[in-house]
Amino acid sequence: MITVLKKEIALIRNCESILEIKKGYSNDQKYLLNYANKEQRFILRTFQKEELAKKREEFSVLKGMEQLDVSCPRPLEIGESNGIGYMIVTYLEGDDGENSIRVCSEEEQYQIGQEAGKELLKVHQYLNPSSHSTSWFSRKSQKHQAYLEAYLTCGMKVKHEKKLIQFIEEHIHLMKDRPTVLQHDDYHLSNIVLKNKKFAGILDFGRFDWGDPYHDFLKIGLFSRSLSIPFSIGQIEGYFKHQKPEEHFWKLYSLYLAMSVFSSIVWCIKNVPNEIDDMMEKITTFLEDHDYFDEIIPNWYKS
């Protein structure tokens, strides 16, 4: 396949070497394209041609990010060749944030988090170009109900599940009339690049969605918080321009985190069942952070 694409696509034809990248959960095939000019490196993603329409939307989103000067890969080319869809973007120099954050001091972690928060705020300046889409409340409510029904028959159980369901029911109205903006929808340290112990940019807009900007914070509780509390605090305070977020933010953050209990379990069973124990451990951690949502502000932030 790569041999065929290399013959037909100029950007690939001119590269010196091609290295497959196996990191991540995406179904895309990913390759690093190296050139004689050592400073020039691109990423090639290939995918089923049936996904081309969705990938063109992602390509358009990346163009929007370029206009907003968001630190992320720049879109170069998208198309189809021999029944295979492909997208080529620039390579973001740096190291995986999940691993690199561990060697940074707490102050460095906090500063990286602040930059990540500021960059996320820029992402959220990109508004939904369609004025005819259904409301965030309607879409998210339907998704949650489907995940909840799947969870109730999946055989897994979390502690105080009835309490969690009641918390969601009592707070779900808060999603009404929320702004509809671009959501990265997978914003955590695995999709953040660091360079020389500093924030360098954002990866992987493949799961982008449209809806409440506060929804992009739930991955703090699910993933980033366990890797770096200073980073997590920094991301929140950088986003809110060094101000403490208001109670309304924490209510929505807790609502989305509570919903993620059921969606995360169902997603994990379906896609990576061998990781369900690790997922349950992460869920238990953030539930205890919030005392099973008797507290909307997590104990790691308050302390």
Side-chain angles (χ1 to χ4, degrees):
M1 180 184 65
I2 290 296
T3 302
V4 173
L5 292 178
K6 193 169 183 179
K7 290 179 180 177
E8 299 191 5
I9 302 168
L11 280 175
I12 305 177
R13 189 185 312 131
N14 298 327
C15 75
E16 195 173 62
S17 66
I18 300 175
L19 177 65
E20 185 174 3
I21 301 170
K22 296 184 178 181
K23 178 179 180 289
Y25 294 104
S26 171
N27 291 325
D28 294 355
Q29 300 295 311
K30 294 174 287 186
Y31 304 90
L32 175 62
L33 309 180
N34 294 296
Y35 295 80
N37 176 359
K38 300 302 182 183
E39 294 182 359
Q40 187 180 54
R41 305 169 88 185
F42 299 148
I43 295 290
L44 165 69
R45 302 179 78 106
T46 62
F47 46 85
Q48 299 298 313
K49 65 179 181 180
E50 292 79 12
E51 299 179 59
L52 188 56
K54 176 67 173 176
K55 294 295 185 180
R56 289 193 186 279
E57 291 182 43
E58 180 184 346
F59 195 81
S60 178
V61 162
L62 289 174
K63 285 186 174 181
M65 297 300 95
E66 185 173 13
Q67 292 168 0
L68 291 168
D69 197 31
V70 174
S71 298
C72 66
R74 300 299 184 223
L76 299 175
E77 187 174 334
I78 187 168
E80 178 187 348
S81 177
N82 290 277
I84 296 295
Y86 70 90
M87 183 192 303
I88 302 175
V89 300
T90 58
Y91 176 72
L92 196 60
E93 293 285 349
D95 301 308
D96 171 79
E98 181 175 351
N99 295 321
S100 302
I101 199 76
R102 304 173 193 273
V103 299
C104 298
S105 68
E106 290 193 357
E107 178 59 29
E108 289 168 336
Q109 292 175 35
Y110 178 77
Q111 292 298 328
I112 292 165
Q114 282 203 327
E115 293 305 313
K118 292 175 184 177
E119 210 67 12
L120 183 59
L121 183 60
K122 288 162 65 175
V123 171
H124 290 162
Q125 306 312 303
Y126 194 67
L127 305 180
N128 189 350
S130 171
S131 59
H132 304 291
S133 61
T134 55
S135 71
W136 165 248
F137 175 80
S138 176
R139 288 186 293 114
K140 183 62 177 175
S141 297
Q142 290 175 10
K143 282 184 180 180
H144 167 67
Q145 190 59 39
Y147 276 124
L148 179 59
E149 290 173 5
Y151 162 79
L152 292 173
T153 60
C154 76
M156 300 295 296
K157 293 292 179 183
V158 293
K159 188 176 178 182
H160 300 314
E161 70 175 25
K162 290 183 179 179
K163 182 178 181 179
L164 301 180
I165 294 170
Q166 182 180 354
F167 175 83
I168 293 169
E169 290 174 347
E170 290 175 352
H171 291 82
I172 200 166
H173 68 278
L174 296 174
M175 297 195 303
K176 292 181 177 179
D177 301 321
R178 290 294 297 156
T180 297
V181 305
L182 177 71
Q183 298 168 329
H184 181 278
D185 212 34
D186 200 21
Y187 201 72
H188 57 96
L189 278 160
S190 284
N191 287 324
I192 287 173
V193 175
L194 307 185
K195 189 174 182 180
N196 299 324
K197 298 186 177 181
K198 295 183 183 298
F199 176 88
I202 309 166
L203 296 177
D204 198 358
F205 281 78
R207 291 186 174 91
F208 80 91
D209 203 349
W210 304 98
D212 184 359
Y214 290 174
H215 187 267
D216 260 337
F217 284 87
L218 76 86
K219 295 296 175 73
I220 286 181
L222 194 53
F223 297 120
S224 297
R225 162 262 182 272
S226 296
L227 293 168
S228 171
I229 287 175
F231 168 88
S232 301
I233 294 173
Q235 181 184 320
I236 292 169
E237 296 185 353
Y239 186 91
F240 287 100
K241 300 178 181 179
H242 309 291
Q243 302 295 317
K244 300 290 184 183
E246 296 179 352
E247 184 180 38
H248 191 61
F249 164 81
W250 288 116
K251 286 181 177 179
L252 282 161
Y253 169 82
S254 294
L255 170 65
Y256 296 140
L257 205 51
M259 287 178 164
S260 79
V261 170
F262 308 112
S263 61
S264 296
I265 290 172
V266 172
W267 182 89
C268 194
I269 290 173
K270 180 180 178 181
N271 295 282
V272 282
N274 59 308
E275 297 181 17
I276 189 63
D277 289 342
D278 182 56
M279 179 60 73
M280 294 299 290
E281 184 177 337
K282 287 179 170 61
I283 288 170
T284 299
T285 295
F286 75 66
L287 288 174
E288 291 177 352
D289 285 341
H290 289 264
D291 194 15
Y292 292 81
F293 296 105
D294 282 339
E295 301 289 339
I296 59 168
I297 303 177
N299 55 32
W300 53 261
Y301 187 85
K302 289 190 290 187
S303 61

